[in-house]
Amino acid sequence: MEEKLSKEITLSVNMNANVLYDYLVYHAYSTASGILGTCFGALVVLAFLAQPGVDRVMYLILGVVLILYVPVSLKLRSMQLMQFTEAYKKPLDYVLNSEGITVSQGEVSQTIEWDKCVKAVSTRQSIVLYTGKNNASIFPRKQLGDRLPALVAVFAENMDPKKVRIRY
């Protein structure tokens, strides 16, 4: 039986609108509906290019709306979440060890065991640990600094390798 190392990482993370937007875009476009909506928009723009006549302008308008709707709405949502969600206004403190991941803020604390973690992925700006279908802990790369390899090592050590999809 493999022995797990007893590494522990302590992090404090401050959220910002750009990191939250990056996560929301990844989350939206990692599903079939997010990808299909954009592909459909691109097909409608191609229909605009293929159609002769003045009536084709509606194809262009519809295609552009379909392509831009998701990123624009997610940008607005990330700004709203930052403005109105109290939890994002204060740092989140994390302790990651062989027991799981403990998230705390003020007096509130929650521990999630590793076997409950769904997956760990990377985006351009973050390392994301999904702790549920729509729940995640977001670790901004800029705030991790030289602790990034140690964080990835803790994920790799404690999670099923098929669940860890992180690129540096």
Side-chain angles (χ1 to χ4, degrees):
M1 183 172 222
E2 246 182 77
E3 183 181 323
K4 294 199 178 203
L5 302 175
S6 58
K7 293 180 185 176
E8 181 172 284
I9 297 178
T10 304
L11 301 167
S12 186
V13 172
N14 292 302
M15 190 54 58
N16 67 53
N18 289 334
V19 170
L20 190 54
Y21 173 70
D22 179 63
Y23 160 72
L24 291 172
V25 167
Y26 173 85
H27 188 71
Y29 287 112
S30 63
T31 63
S33 62
I35 295 168
L36 287 174
T38 301
C39 289
F40 186 68
L43 288 173
V44 173
V45 170
L46 290 175
F48 160 77
L49 296 172
Q51 294 290 325
V54 179
D55 296 342
R56 69 189 193 144
V57 173
M58 289 306 293
Y59 287 110
L60 179 62
I61 293 169
L62 179 61
V64 169
V65 167
L66 287 171
I67 292 170
L68 294 180
Y69 175 76
V70 171
V72 170
S73 67
L74 291 177
K75 186 65 170 177
L76 294 173
R77 183 168 182 228
S78 68
M79 291 188 297
Q80 286 178 331
L81 285 170
M82 286 304 301
Q83 186 176 4
F84 298 113
T85 306
E86 289 301 315
Y88 291 142
K89 294 181 181 180
K90 300 175 195 167
L92 287 166
D93 298 313
Y94 293 94
V95 177
L96 297 93
N97 56 33
S98 61
E99 304 297 315
I101 177 171
T102 302
V103 184
S104 58
Q105 189 176 55
E107 300 296 319
V108 180
S109 180
Q110 178 182 13
T111 300
I112 300 138
E113 297 170 359
W114 288 112
D115 62 344
K116 304 280 191 270
C117 294
V118 177
K119 65 181 174 179
V121 298
S122 57
T123 69
R124 277 190 358 226
Q125 294 188 27
S126 306
I127 303 299
V128 179
L129 176 66
Y130 279 88
T131 55
K133 184 178 180 182
N134 293 311
N135 298 325
S137 293
I138 304 168
F139 303 95
R141 289 177 185 263
K142 287 182 180 177
Q143 293 178 37
L144 291 173
D146 61 349
R147 294 177 292 176
L148 175 62
L151 178 68
V152 174
V154 169
F155 292 162
E157 180 181 309
N158 293 291
M159 293 176 67
D160 181 345
K162 295 175 189 168
K163 294 181 177 182
V164 180
R165 291 175 275 171
I166 297 175
R167 295 184 197 165
Y168 282 93

